Amino acid sequence: MKFSETKYGLTLPEILGMLWRSFFIQSVWNFKSMVSVGFCFVLSPIGQKICKNKEEYVAFLKRHLGFFNAHPYFASYAMGAIARLEQQMHNQDTETIERFKNALISPLGAIGDRCCWAVLRPAALIFGLVGLAYYESLDLKSLHLLLTFVLYNIPHIHIRLKGIIDGYQSGFDIYKKLKIENFEKLLNFFKIIGIIGLGMLIAWNLREALTRHWLMLLLFGITFTVSLWLKMKRRMFYTPVLISLVLAIVCGVL
């Protein structure tokens, strides 16, 4: 990923610094301003760079401590874009910057939830459960969980870093990057993983139910039916998984 500097520019250490700080965007989450404290924390080095005195810096911090909310990963697109606009328009048109930042709240939340919470996280969870189910060795289970961690965090960190760079390069045009079509390849890859993993989990549970006890077969049938209904009718994912885990624990105790 190449980075084209504007007349102001960001150095590689500054980009990596923003990336590192972005991991703490939810650390002071609150109902009044949501993730604004974390967002301001990410941008504070930019403020130190462009502000000429303490008064300007304090005003910069106050502006970015106002209400802001976004998906924690995709908020990086706003970080990069606002960093560029602050460098170009600092103390000239701060109201435009604030309106633009507020306009990004809805698209960043929507696309982030659709990509990460609805696809990436469930697929990674299923992938991890497959390893726990099929591997007998503790070493292999641990290795598979490590692979699951890597599988999830490669796109996660990529989104954070790419968001900062694309946002800084695009400025006001960052909305062109915030289209679900731009993430289709990534989503399709994780959907395939999720579908294959779900099939493997169903096969494993059915095998266990058939070989152990009729009660397990009954619980499997109930769990599968309820989970399928919740998924198809209510568009739920975590509730069916929770039901499956609870019934598995109950069956194990019995």
Side-chain angles (χ1 to χ4, degrees):
M1 223 165 6
K2 293 183 179 179
F3 180 72
S4 302
E5 292 190 347
T6 67
K7 122 183 192 185
Y8 298 95
L10 286 177
T11 64
L12 180 60
E14 287 172 333
I15 295 172
L16 295 179
M18 291 180 67
L19 173 64
W20 169 248
R21 285 168 174 257
S22 73
F23 286 96
F24 302 95
I25 189 171
Q26 290 183 298
S27 57
V28 197
W29 187 95
N30 61 87
F31 286 104
K32 181 179 181 180
S33 60
M34 297 297 179
V35 299
S36 66
V37 177
F39 190 85
C40 185
F41 175 66
V42 175
L43 290 180
S44 57
I46 304 299
Q48 292 174 344
K49 182 178 180 179
I50 63 178
C51 293
K52 298 177 182 179
N53 51 57
K54 182 178 179 180
E55 288 72 22
E56 281 191 15
Y57 183 57
V58 170
F60 174 92
L61 295 179
K62 285 183 177 180
R63 282 195 291 109
H64 290 296
L65 284 173
F67 180 86
F68 182 73
N69 195 30
H71 188 278
Y73 305 168
F74 279 82
S76 59
Y77 284 87
M79 297 169 190
I82 297 302
R84 172 173 177 167
L85 297 179
E86 283 288 0
Q87 289 185 332
Q88 291 181 330
M89 305 168 62
H90 180 64
N91 284 340
Q92 297 178 27
D93 195 356
T94 56
E95 290 185 5
T96 298
I97 296 176
E98 285 300 303
R99 287 197 298 269
F100 177 68
K101 186 173 75 171
N102 290 332
L104 290 175
I105 292 176
S106 292
L108 289 174
I111 195 171
D113 289 350
R114 186 172 175 183
C115 288
C116 299
W117 297 166
V119 179
L120 266 65
R121 188 164 65 177
L125 174 60
I126 291 173
F127 181 82
L129 290 174
V130 167
L132 294 178
Y134 276 87
Y135 292 127
E136 298 290 341
S137 166
L138 180 61
D139 291 340
L140 289 177
K141 289 179 186 289
S142 301
L143 182 61
H144 188 86
L145 289 178
L146 178 61
L147 183 59
T148 303
F149 177 82
V150 173
L151 176 71
Y152 181 78
N153 281 286
I154 285 179
H156 156 219
I157 296 173
H158 173 76
I159 288 170
R160 287 184 185 266
L161 179 59
K162 192 174 188 300
I164 294 171
I165 296 175
D166 283 355
Y168 192 83
Q169 289 177 329
S170 302
F172 283 121
D173 292 330
I174 189 57
Y175 70 91
K176 296 178 181 178
K177 305 282 187 179
L178 300 176
K179 298 178 180 179
I180 196 66
E181 293 82 8
N182 295 331
F183 303 90
E184 282 298 332
K185 291 183 179 179
L186 175 66
L187 295 180
N188 288 336
F189 174 75
F190 273 83
K191 285 177 182 178
I192 291 172
I193 290 177
I195 291 171
I196 294 174
L198 185 60
M200 294 177 68
L201 283 177
I202 292 173
W204 181 84
N205 278 281
L206 183 58
R207 183 195 68 186
E208 291 294 303
L210 289 171
T211 57
R212 289 183 181 272
H213 196 274
W214 66 268
L215 180 60
M216 290 192 66
L217 181 60
L218 177 62
L219 288 174
F220 172 82
I222 294 174
T223 303
F224 181 79
T225 303
V226 172
S227 299
L228 184 62
W229 182 82
L230 287 172
K231 177 61 179 161
M232 299 298 293
K233 298 295 184 180
R234 301 296 182 89
R235 300 293 181 182
M236 295 179 178
F237 175 80
Y238 291 104
T239 302
V241 172
L242 179 61
I243 292 173
S244 302
L245 290 174
V246 170
L247 289 178
I249 292 173
V250 171
C251 188
V253 171
L254 294 177

